[in-house]
C-alpha cells in the first residue's frame, strides 16, 4: 500500500514566515504546496530543515507519512534518486512505546534507545546479528540518519516536558542528522514555556486538493481491483477500476459537502471504502452520516456479505462500543490497556444482558470490524474520530446532553459535541452555547445546521443566526473601537481561519479564499471600515488594488499590481 496507493501530503511552511499567513500570492504558494522530500533535500545544506515538526489534526496521515519515508529509504528504491536525497538510515520511533523510559530521571540517550530497545524489537529476517559497537553513535554524528519521532501529542501532559528535554538534548548532540517530530497542533503549541521542543521549522499538513484526491482514489481502486481479481492487472480490471474511481470522483466534485470531507485523507479513505461496498449508491452528505454508514458497514453489512460467523451480528455491537467510547472520552483516553478494557467490557455486556464473553467480543471487533486496533498490550479505536462519533451517539441514545454543557470550552470534547449536534436537532444546544459564551462552537454548529434546516425551524434559527453573529464579532469590534489595530488584525485572522474549519497557525488555500462566505467577509469588512473612518478594510484595499494599482479581481495573481499595492499601503515585503 505504501508503494501503490500512497499519495504525498502537502506541507505548508508559511506559518514560519512573518506576515505571510494571511496572504495568497505565489511567493507563499511556493512554500505551501511542497512535500516532505523538498525539506529533506534542503536539510543537507540548510540546517533549520534538519529539525522539523509536522503538525496536523487527526486523519491527515502523519504516521503514514513517516512510514512512507522509512519505506523509501529502507527498501533502497529509486525514490532516493527521484527525490534527489542522499542515502540515509531511517529510524522510526513511536514515542508512546518509550514514554515511560524517556520521562524517567536518567533516560538512555538516542544511540542506546536505538540499539538496546528499538532494533531488538524489529522483525527479524535471517541471522540476528548483534549491532556493532558505536554503530548508532557514528551514524548519528555523521549525519547519515533520519530520526522520525511519531506522536509527541500522545505523551501524557506530565511527561511532555521531560520528553521534550530529551529530544532537544539528542538534536543538539547529533545536529548533523535529520530529526522529524509529529504532533497534533494543540499539544505542540501548549507546551511548558521552560521546557519546549526547540524545533526550528514547523510544517502544517495541508488539506488534500483536487489533484491529490484524484490520485488517491485512482490508486486505491487500481490496487483493490487488482488484488480482488487474483493480482491480475489486465485491461478489463483496469477499466473496472477506472470506471469506479471516476464515478466516485464525479460525486465528490459535484457537492461541496463531500469535497470538504474529502480534504481529510482518513475521511476520503472511508468514503472510497463505502463507495466500493455500495456501487452506484449516493454518498453520505455529512461527516456524521458517513460515520453512521461506516460503522454499520464494518459491524453488520460486511460480515453478513462475506457470510462470516461472527458475534458482531448476534448482539448490539455498536451500542457496546458506544459505551466503551464514552468511558474513554470521559477519562480522556485515546488508548486503553487490554486487561482494563476486558474488565470494562464484562460489566457492559452484563448490563446489556449479553451472554457472550468479553474476550471473544473484543477479538471479533479487532479482527473483523477493524474499528478497534491492538497495539501491543493496548487497544485504541482505528482513529480517534470513531471514538468521538460513538461517544456522541451514546450521549444521544441516553439523552445526556446536559453533560456536554460544562465541556463547551474543552478542545478535547469539541469534535464529539459537533458530532452530537449532527445527530440531533441542535437548536437548543446552540442556544445553550450562546448563553455560556461558546460563540465559535455555536457558529460552527449553526453553519452545519443551515445545510439541513427543517423549514419549521426557520424563524427560530433566524434569531439564533443574529445572536451568533453579534457574539462572534464582539471581540473584533471591541479592538476596533479602541484603535487596537494589531489585535484587531489577529482577531480578523482567527475569525477567518475558523470560518473555513482550520486552526490558528494555518494558512488559506486559494480555493478557501475564492469560496469564502460572503456574509462573513462583509461583516468583518463593515466593522473595519466603520471604526477606522474608511481607512481600513478589505473593500478599501480592493479599491486601491483595482483603481490605483491596475489589479484585476479575477482570483489570479498579478505580480506588479500586488507589488504596487503593497508599496502604496506601506506593507513590508522584506
Amino acid at each position: 500500500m505504501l508503494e501503490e496507493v500512497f499519495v504525498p501530503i502537502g506541507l505548508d511552511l508559511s506559518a514560519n514566515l512573518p506576515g505571510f499567513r494571511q496572504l495568497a500570492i505565489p511567493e507563499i504558494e511556493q512554500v505551501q504546496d511542497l512535500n516532505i522530500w523538498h525539506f529533506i533535500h534542503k536539510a543537507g545544506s540548510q540546517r533549520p530543515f534538519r529539525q522539523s515538526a509536522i503538525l496536523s489534526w487527526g486523519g491527515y496521515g502523519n504516521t503514514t507519512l513517516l512510514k512512507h519515508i522509512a519505506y523509501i529509504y529502507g527498501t533502497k528504491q529509486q525514490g532516493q534518486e527521484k527525490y534527489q536525497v542522499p542515502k540515509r538510515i531511517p529510524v522510526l520511533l513511536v514515542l508512546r512505546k518509550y514514554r515511560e523510559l524517556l520521562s524517567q530521571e536518567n533516560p538512555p540517550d538516542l544511540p542506546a534507545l536505538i540499539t538496546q530497545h528499538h532494533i531488538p524489537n524489529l522483525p527479524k529476517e535471517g541471522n540476528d546479528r548483534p549491532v556493532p559497537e558505536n554503530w548508532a553513535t557514528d551514524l548519528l554524528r555523521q549525519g547519515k540518519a533520519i530520526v522520525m519521532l511519531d506522536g509527541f501529542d500522545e505523551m501524557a501532559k506530565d511527561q511532555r516536558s521531560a520528553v521534550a528535554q530529551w529530544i532537544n538534548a539528542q538534536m543538539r548532540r547529533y545536529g548533523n542528522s535529520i530529526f522529524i517530530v509529529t504532533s497534533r497542533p494543540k499539544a505542540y503549541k501548549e507546551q511548558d514555556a521552560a521546557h519546549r521542543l526547540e524545533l526550528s521549522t514547523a510544517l502544517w499538513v495541508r488539506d488534500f486538493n483536487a489533484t491529490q484526491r484524484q490520485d488517491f482514489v485512482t490508486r486505491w481502486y487500481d490496487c483493490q481491483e487488482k488484488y480482488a481479481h487474483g493480482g491480475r492487472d489486465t485491461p478489463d480490471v483496469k477499466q473496472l477500476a477506472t470506471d469506479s474511481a471516476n464515478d466516485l470522483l464525479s460525486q465528490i466534485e459535484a457537492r461541496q459537502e463531500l469535497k470538504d470531507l474529502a480534504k481529510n485523507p482518513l475521511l476520503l479513505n472511508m468514503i472510497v471504502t463505502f463507495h466500493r461496498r455500495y456501487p452506484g449508491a449516493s454518498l453520505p452528505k455529512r461527516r456524521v452520516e458517513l460515520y453512521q454508514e461506516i460503522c454499520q458497514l464494518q459491524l453488520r453489512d460486511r460480515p453478513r456479505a462475506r457470510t462470516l460467523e461472527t458475534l458482531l451480528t448476534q448482539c448490539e455491537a455498536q451500542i457496546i462500543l458506544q459505551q466503551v467510547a464514552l468511558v474513554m472520552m470521559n477519562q480522556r483516553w485515546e488508548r486503553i490497556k487490554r486487561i482494563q478494557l476486558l474488565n470494562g467490557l464484562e460489566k457492559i455486556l452484563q448490563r446489556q444482558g449479553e451472554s457472550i464473553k468479553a474476550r471473544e467480543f473484543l477479538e471479533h471487533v479487532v479482527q473483523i470490524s477493524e474499528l478497534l486496533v491492538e497495539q501491543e498490550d493496548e487497544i485504541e479505536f482505528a482513529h480517534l474520530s470513531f471514538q468521538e462519533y460513538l461517544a456522541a451517539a451514546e450521549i444521544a441514545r441516553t439523552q445526556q446532553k446536559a453533560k456536554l454543557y460544562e465541556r463547551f470550552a474543552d478542545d478535547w470534547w469539541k469534535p464529539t459535541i459537533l458530532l452530537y449536534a449532527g445527530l440531533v436537532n441542535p437548536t437548543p444546544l446552540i442556544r445553550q452555547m450562546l448563553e455560556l459564551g461558546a460563540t465559535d462552537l455555536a457558529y460552527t454548529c449553526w453553519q452545519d445546521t443551515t445545510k439541513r434546516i427543517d423549514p419549521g425551524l426557520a424563524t427560530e434559527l433566524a434569531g439564533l443566526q443574529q445572536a451568533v453573529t453579534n457574539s462572534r464579532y464582539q471581540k473584533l469590534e471591541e479592538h476596533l473601537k479602541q484603535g487596537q489595530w494589531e489585535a484587531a488584525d489577529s482577531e480578523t485572522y482567527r475569525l477567518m481561519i475558523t470560518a473555513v474549519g482550520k486552526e490558528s497557525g494555518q494558512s488559506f488555500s486559494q480555493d478557501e479564499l475564492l469560496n469564502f462566505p460572503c456574509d462573513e467577509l462583509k461583516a468583518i469588512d463593515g466593522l473595519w471600515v466603520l471604526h477606522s473612518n474608511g481607512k481600513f478594510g478589505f473593500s478599501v484595499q480592493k479599491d486601491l488594488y483595482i483603481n490605483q494599482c491596475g489589479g484585476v479581481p479575477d482570483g489570479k495573481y498579478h505580480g506588479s499590481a500586488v507589488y504596487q499595492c503593497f508599496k502604496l499601503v506601506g506593507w513590508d515585503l522584506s
Side-chain angles (χ1 to χ4, degrees):
M1 291 293 186
L2 286 170
E3 182 175 5
E4 297 183 31
V5 180
F6 179 81
V7 174
I9 55 178
L11 297 173
D12 182 354
L13 181 61
S14 62
N16 297 270
L17 307 176
F20 269 26
R21 66 185 185 185
Q22 293 126 323
L23 306 176
I25 56 177
E27 285 85 347
I28 298 168
E29 292 302 320
Q30 290 171 16
V31 295
Q32 286 183 330
D33 295 319
L34 303 176
N35 65 48
I36 190 62
W37 297 104
H38 291 89
F39 300 103
I40 293 176
H41 174 70
K42 287 180 176 292
S45 58
Q46 299 181 38
R47 184 171 289 271
F49 292 113
R50 293 181 198 167
Q51 298 175 3
S52 299
I54 297 180
L55 308 176
S56 77
W57 299 106
Y60 276 85
N62 277 355
T63 299
T64 306
L65 174 62
L66 298 190
K67 288 180 179 180
H68 167 70
I69 296 170
Y71 179 77
I72 294 297
Y73 275 119
T75 53
K76 300 180 180 178
Q77 289 195 41
Q78 295 298 317
Q80 291 179 207
E81 287 72 30
K82 175 183 177 181
Y83 298 119
Q84 299 181 344
V85 293
K87 294 180 180 180
R88 292 186 177 90
I89 300 295
V91 182
L92 174 50
L93 300 169
V94 179
L95 284 172
R96 70 167 177 267
K97 291 183 178 180
Y98 307 110
R99 56 191 172 197
E100 304 298 336
L101 188 64
L102 298 183
S103 58
Q104 67 185 18
E105 188 172 348
N106 293 303
D109 64 3
L110 183 55
L113 182 68
I114 292 171
T115 56
Q116 297 172 22
H117 300 275
H118 178 56
I119 291 178
N121 290 321
L122 292 175
K124 302 297 187 296
E125 291 185 13
N127 295 327
D128 186 10
R129 293 180 295 177
V131 179
E133 187 177 1
N134 295 325
W135 172 81
T137 301
D138 293 342
L139 184 79
L140 291 162
R141 284 177 175 167
Q142 293 167 13
K144 295 181 178 180
I146 178 166
V147 181
M148 295 170 282
L149 305 167
D150 187 33
F152 178 72
D153 57 293
E154 296 179 3
M155 303 296 98
K157 282 189 175 181
D158 59 356
Q159 294 175 326
R160 285 180 193 158
S161 292
V163 174
Q165 290 182 74
W166 181 87
I167 295 173
N168 288 338
Q170 309 314 308
M171 291 192 299
R172 287 193 295 269
R173 191 174 302 164
Y174 306 109
N176 290 327
S177 287
I178 295 175
F179 286 79
I180 300 174
V181 181
T182 66
S183 177
R184 290 196 180 193
K186 179 177 173 59
Y188 185 75
K189 290 191 293 185
E190 296 181 0
Q191 296 183 66
D192 181 348
H195 305 293
R196 293 182 59 84
L197 268 175
E198 297 170 1
L199 294 159
S200 49
T201 303
L203 303 171
W204 281 86
V205 175
R206 291 176 62 79
D207 292 335
F208 258 11
N209 58 31
T211 301
Q212 289 168 314
R213 292 195 295 270
Q214 180 177 359
D215 198 11
F216 176 83
V217 171
T218 301
R219 287 169 175 264
W220 191 94
Y221 259 115
D222 283 344
C223 184
Q224 291 288 340
E225 296 303 336
K226 181 172 72 173
Y227 286 103
H229 289 81
R232 286 194 298 114
D233 201 16
T234 53
D236 60 316
V237 174
K238 281 182 171 292
Q239 188 61 50
L240 177 61
T242 299
D243 291 345
S244 298
N246 288 341
D247 176 67
L248 173 59
L249 289 166
S250 65
Q251 288 196 56
I252 291 174
E253 297 307 318
R255 286 162 43 191
Q256 187 61 45
E257 301 97 327
L258 290 175
K259 283 199 284 188
D260 290 341
L261 291 173
K263 292 176 182 178
N264 181 303
L266 174 76
L267 295 181
L268 179 57
N269 187 65
M270 293 167 65
I271 289 171
V272 71
T273 300
F274 176 84
H275 180 262
R276 188 169 187 269
R277 178 65 184 86
Y278 303 110
S282 296
L283 291 169
K285 293 182 179 180
R286 298 183 299 121
R287 189 162 68 107
V288 70
E289 293 169 351
L290 180 62
Y291 284 119
Q292 286 175 324
E293 298 286 358
I294 290 292
C295 286
Q296 180 174 319
L297 171 64
Q298 300 299 95
L299 291 170
R300 290 193 172 276
D301 295 350
R302 193 170 75 163
R304 284 174 176 165
R306 294 167 62 185
T307 63
L308 295 174
E309 290 294 329
T310 172
L311 299 172
L312 301 181
T313 57
Q314 302 168 22
C315 66
E316 295 291 343
Q318 180 165 330
I319 290 178
I320 295 168
L321 289 179
Q322 286 176 192
Q323 294 177 64
V324 171
L326 184 55
V327 169
M328 292 179 69
M329 287 302 300
N330 284 330
Q331 297 296 327
R332 309 178 81 87
W333 293 337
E334 292 189 31
R335 57 195 57 82
I336 183 174
K337 294 287 185 184
R338 177 185 174 85
I339 185 64
Q340 193 174 8
L341 177 57
L342 287 172
N343 291 336
L345 274 174
E346 287 286 0
K347 296 176 182 177
I348 292 172
L349 291 168
Q350 288 175 11
R351 287 200 303 268
Q352 291 294 116
E354 301 285 359
S355 59
I356 59 180
K357 299 296 183 183
R359 195 175 300 276
E360 292 179 88
F361 177 81
L362 178 59
E363 180 182 351
H364 283 230
V365 173
V366 171
Q367 298 298 329
I368 297 174
S369 83
E370 300 174 352
L371 288 177
L372 288 177
V373 177
E374 195 162 7
Q375 302 277 10
E376 299 177 354
D377 65 336
E378 293 183 322
I379 306 290
E380 62 185 347
F381 282 89
H383 189 266
L384 182 60
S385 57
F386 283 113
Q387 178 177 315
E388 293 162 342
Y389 163 72
L390 289 167
E394 181 63 11
I395 292 169
R397 183 182 76 89
T398 55
Q399 300 182 355
Q400 301 180 56
K401 66 179 181 182
K403 292 186 177 180
L404 296 176
Y405 297 166
E406 62 195 43
R407 293 165 171 159
F408 287 160
D410 188 342
D411 286 341
W412 167 256
W413 279 91
K414 180 179 177 180
T416 302
I417 293 169
L418 293 175
L419 286 164
Y420 170 81
L423 290 167
V424 300
N425 174 358
T427 307
L429 191 70
I430 295 174
R431 186 181 293 109
Q432 193 69 32
M433 290 173 182
L434 291 174
E435 290 180 6
L436 296 176
T439 310
D440 279 354
L441 196 60
Y443 173 79
T444 306
C445 284
W446 174 78
Q447 273 190 316
D448 187 57
T449 299
T450 58
K451 298 173 186 175
R452 55 188 179 89
I453 186 171
D454 182 331
L457 294 174
T459 302
E460 187 174 6
L461 283 174
L464 276 177
Q465 175 185 0
Q466 192 58 50
V468 170
T469 302
N470 293 341
S471 182
R472 179 166 163 76
Y473 301 125
Q474 184 176 354
K475 185 179 292 185
L476 173 61
E477 188 162 22
E478 289 174 358
H479 289 318
L480 290 170
K481 284 181 177 178
Q482 299 296 322
Q484 298 168 339
W485 309 120
E486 188 172 352
D489 182 61
S490 296
E491 178 64 9
T492 297
Y493 163 71
R494 190 192 67 78
L495 288 168
M496 292 182 68
I497 204 70
T498 55
V500 298
K502 290 185 174 180
E503 300 287 332
S504 292
Q506 294 182 274
S507 60
F508 301 94
S509 69
Q510 184 183 39
D511 183 64
E512 286 163 346
L513 290 174
L514 289 174
N515 294 286
F516 194 84
C518 289
D519 289 343
E520 180 107 353
L521 197 64
K522 289 179 179 178
I524 293 172
D525 177 62
L527 289 172
W528 273 94
V529 173
L530 173 65
H531 295 291
S532 68
N533 294 319
K535 293 181 180 178
F536 304 136
F538 296 125
S539 57
V540 178
Q541 295 167 6
K542 177 183 176 183
D543 180 63
L544 294 174
Y545 175 69
I546 294 173
N547 296 320
Q548 296 192 40
C549 302
V552 180
D554 57 0
K556 298 178 181 179
Y557 174 70
H558 301 277
S560 61
V562 170
Y563 182 71
Q564 289 299 322
C565 190
F566 274 38
K567 285 180 62 179
L568 185 64
V569 300
W571 287 348
D572 186 3
L573 277 173
S574 60

